[in-house]
Amino acid sequence: AALPALAEPPLLGAAQLARLLAAGGTVVDVRQADAFDAGHLAGAVNLPLAGGSFGTRAGWLLDAGRPLAVVGESAGDARRAYWQLAAVGLFGVRGVAVGVPEAWRNAGLEVRVGETIDPVALARGLTAGEIEVLDVRDADEHERMALPGGERRSLWELADWQAAGGPPLVVACASGARAAIAASVLRARLSRPVLRLDGGVADVLAALAREPVAI
């Protein structure tokens, strides 16, 4: 099939983003995880442009049949992401927008924040049995070093992963980058709280080893 003709994407306002979401579209937010967690559109997927493997991860996690909008720290970032998505066959981007949560709120859009947890708090939660962990590293990383009782799914295995209700779910990886992506995907899908580990699995294991954790 012939490839679609591509042109510079239009800049979308809040009303246009609202229409795209109402039509079942997906917002791809390419800002860094901390900015995303401070305020993002409900249901948005966080795929930081600055991270490695942007296009590959987008191909794993985004539905090519849905209309997409890209939100960036700047219009330039969003446009760069648009071209990278097209390079991996994701041609459904209807436009781009700048991440301004206050303007979205003022326009009546649903803005959410993302919770994080530090390694010491996660170690305490694991010891107390109050938290469940989903490790989104790859199998070989998990074999070398794993958290007690955690479940593992790589990013590309998340599309059909469902978790029953339960205690807060913490998403962890080696450094926090993959956890940020996975947490955004799962928050849009699960009814239970989903937190992002601010740190890596090694940091949690070190916290568990340092002390009999005071609960």
Side-chain angles (χ1 to χ4, degrees):
L3 293 177
L6 295 172
E8 282 294 325
L11 202 58
L12 304 178
Q16 292 160 303
L17 285 171
R19 282 197 293 274
L20 180 126
L21 289 166
T26 299
V27 169
V28 186
D29 194 320
V30 302
R31 295 175 298 156
Q32 293 282 36
D34 287 344
F36 178 85
D37 283 342
H40 57 266
L41 289 167
V45 174
N46 186 207
L47 273 174
L49 187 62
S53 309
F54 174 81
T56 302
R57 291 170 176 175
W60 291 334
L61 297 169
L62 299 176
D63 182 347
R66 285 189 174 201
L68 304 171
V70 178
V71 167
E73 193 66 44
S74 66
D77 278 356
R79 289 190 179 102
R80 277 192 291 279
Y82 164 83
W83 290 108
Q84 290 193 37
L85 292 171
V88 294
L90 289 164
F91 301 118
V93 177
R94 302 287 191 262
V96 299
V98 179
V100 189
E102 199 54 43
W104 296 333
R105 284 192 191 94
N106 292 340
L109 290 171
E110 185 182 357
V111 176
R112 294 185 181 170
V113 296
E115 287 187 81
T116 61
I117 187 169
D118 66 65
V120 172
L122 176 51
R124 289 180 178 147
L126 285 172
T127 302
E130 297 169 347
I131 277 173
E132 290 180 6
V133 173
L134 176 67
D135 185 340
V136 293
R137 296 174 303 152
D138 293 337
D140 58 335
E141 297 173 276
H142 189 261
E143 285 167 12
R144 291 194 297 271
M145 179 194 305
L147 293 172
E151 189 171 352
R152 191 203 68 79
R153 289 284 188 284
S154 295
L155 280 181
W156 64 82
E157 298 171 311
L158 284 181
D160 55 1
W161 186 78
Q162 295 287 348
L169 180 70
V170 176
V171 187
C173 67
S175 67
R178 284 170 288 179
I181 297 168
S184 72
V185 171
L186 295 174
R187 283 176 189 138
R189 188 189 305 166
L190 304 180
S191 57
R192 64 200 287 196
V194 177
L195 294 82
R196 166 175 70 90
L197 174 63
D198 188 8
V201 167
D203 303 316
V204 182
L205 290 172
L208 284 167
R210 251 196 315 271
E211 49 177 324
V213 178
I215 306 302

